[in-house]
Amino acid sequence: MATTKVAIAPMKVAQISKAGADFEIVEREIPKPSAGHVLIKVQACGVCHSDVLTKEGAWPGIEYPRVPGHEIAGVIDEVGTGVFSWKKGQRVGVGWHGGQDNTCVSCRRGDFRNCQNLKIPSISYDGGYQQYMLAPVEALAAIPESLSDVEAAPLLCAGITTFNALRHSGAMPGDLVAVQGIGGLGHLGIQFANKFGYRVVAIGRGPENAALAKKLGANVYIDSKSTKAADELQKLGGARVILATAPNSKAMSELIDGLGPNGELMVIGATFDPIEVTPIQLISGSRTIQGWAAGTPADSEDTLRFAELSGVRPMIETYSLEKAAEAYARMMSGNAQFRVVLTM
Ligand SMILES: [Zn+2]
Ligand SMILES: [Zn+2]
């Protein structure tokens, strides 16, 4: 019997075969978009600390093998049926918000960011550590022309998270706003805080990042290794908002006494360890602690446009897709300056 060889179009994929496994580079067939989905030719994908959830299986219900990555910048290669508002060749990004169900109570209230069945690329479906990926249309954000792919990618999680948390924090121009941690999130948070017109305090460990923090837009630098950062913040009048970006609950706990009246600890550095706070700390000065997760694709577009307008840009180190393991290790080391980005 004659056999016909079907030519498959392979693509390179960096996948995790099971929870806790190392990265492996494999070839897969380029998938076809189903109804309501698009196929994206990925150009760049940022490496976020939350990729640890996929790598180590710390998020419940992940099916393996799974491809991490939720800071995706690329070009639409093909649209599925029923997709009318997006076109082949259009530049798009996908961030943490990988699609909502449109039917839960949060969605019915228009609060898509808090969809109870939120889909997350790299957790609910394969993310951006690959040459092509599928995404539902409700996950797509348009990328402005002037931003390159490697610049846009980190803005789709690190960028939107800091931008959106700050703009919803209640801090007004002129208010004292501290950014804890000068890393992937923090170096963007400092820039956004400066452009929002805050009096910006950067809090880092050690003197190394002082000059850079000021260059990024901090008015004051506090070294939390050599001083008690909460006391230093009180000397400045107390922070209206502290944007806690470093995934270190102990460091966050130590900052709460640095909040001024009605001050808010805005938590975006994700970790499972508890933050310690006494009721008295919260009651005196009516302080609050709030968490914030990314935002919708419309928020992503706001972030990208604001970056375009204001000149906020991520500082990046790029690695090829084949070096995904090395790139991930670099991110985990905490030494990256400051966001690691894979290029395909
Ligand atoms: Zn992220
Ligand atoms: Zn929903």
Side-chain angles (χ1 to χ4, degrees), residues 234-310:
Q234 285 303 338
K235 282 181 204 164
L236 297 168
R240 176 65 183 80
V241 168
I242 299 173
L243 185 70
T245 75
N248 179 335
S249 300
K250 188 165 174 287
M252 291 182 196
S253 305
E254 286 168 3
L255 287 177
I256 293 166
D257 283 333
L259 290 169
N262 304 302
E264 178 178 72
L265 181 72
M266 183 63 99
V267 178
I268 57 173
T271 156
F272 290 99
D273 304 321
I275 292 170
E276 272 186 43
V277 62
T278 66
I280 294 293
Q281 281 176 293
L282 296 179
I283 292 166
S284 49
S286 306
R287 295 153 164 163
T288 53
I289 300 177
Q290 191 188 347
W292 192 275
T296 64
D299 294 320
S300 286
E301 290 182 359
D302 290 346
T303 308
L304 294 166
R305 278 197 300 262
F306 187 87
E308 182 183 42
L309 193 69
S310 63

Side-chain angles (χ1 to χ4, degrees), residues 48 50 70-71 96 157 339:
C48 177
S50 297
H70 56 266
E71 286 189 346
W96 180 258
C157 179
R339 202 63 165 175

Side-chain angles (χ1 to χ4, degrees), residues 186-198:
H187 89 288
L188 287 165
I190 293 168
Q191 294 181 64
F192 284 126
N194 172 278
K195 297 296 181 189
F196 287 1
Y198 304 143

